[in-house]
Amino acid sequence: MDIVYRRERATVREVHDDLPDPPSYSAVRALMGVLEEKGHLRHEQDGPRYIYLPTLDRKRASSTALAHLVDTFFDGSTTEAIASLLDLQSGGLTDDELDELSAMIEQARQEDR
């Protein structure tokens, strides 16, 4: 999916070529077929080949995936998810990054009132 989102539209060959250590071409084709059956991709025909496109825009898909991740790994706790992300920062956050996060938190407080 990442490759299709990055390219905005892609053939099976393009996805296969962009994968590091790819499986067989037919395995990629089968997986893209499954993703289409599940509603994540759709295709347009261009002569004999299919051009695959995502069914959701990237922002909406990332929001859905992030919500699922928070529910699955952090029992729905946004605070726990953010704390985990902060732990990943090996060098810590810069003052500018901390200021940006503080501004986002303040904005969220203002919007909830």
Side-chain angles (χ1 to χ4, degrees), residues 46-87:
D46 180 27
R49 58 187 195 152
Y50 284 0
I51 309 291
Y52 289 90
L53 302 97
T55 56
L56 293 177
D57 66 75
R58 189 176 192 121
K59 183 174 173 112
R60 186 167 170 208
S62 67
S63 293
T64 301
L66 186 56
H68 180 70
L69 182 125
V70 170
D71 285 342
T72 301
F73 294 101
F74 301 100
D75 295 323
S77 171
T78 303
T79 303
E80 290 295 321
I82 292 170
S84 181
L85 287 171
L86 291 173
D87 285 344

Side-chain angles (χ1 to χ4, degrees), residues 22-66:
S24 69
Y25 175 87
S26 58
V28 174
R29 185 180 62 227
L31 179 60
M32 292 181 77
V34 169
L35 289 169
E36 185 172 25
E37 287 174 20
K38 290 186 173 202
H40 300 291
L41 292 174
R42 64 181 179 85
H43 75 269
E44 296 173 352
Q45 195 146 0
D46 180 27
R49 58 187 195 152
Y50 284 0
I51 309 291
Y52 289 90
L53 302 97
T55 56
L56 293 177
D57 66 75
R58 189 176 192 121
K59 183 174 173 112
R60 186 167 170 208
S62 67
S63 293
T64 301
L66 186 56

Side-chain angles (χ1 to χ4, degrees), residues 3 15-25 27-28:
I3 293 167
V15 171
H16 182 267
D17 290 348
D18 284 2
L19 286 169
D21 193 26
S24 69
Y25 175 87
V28 174

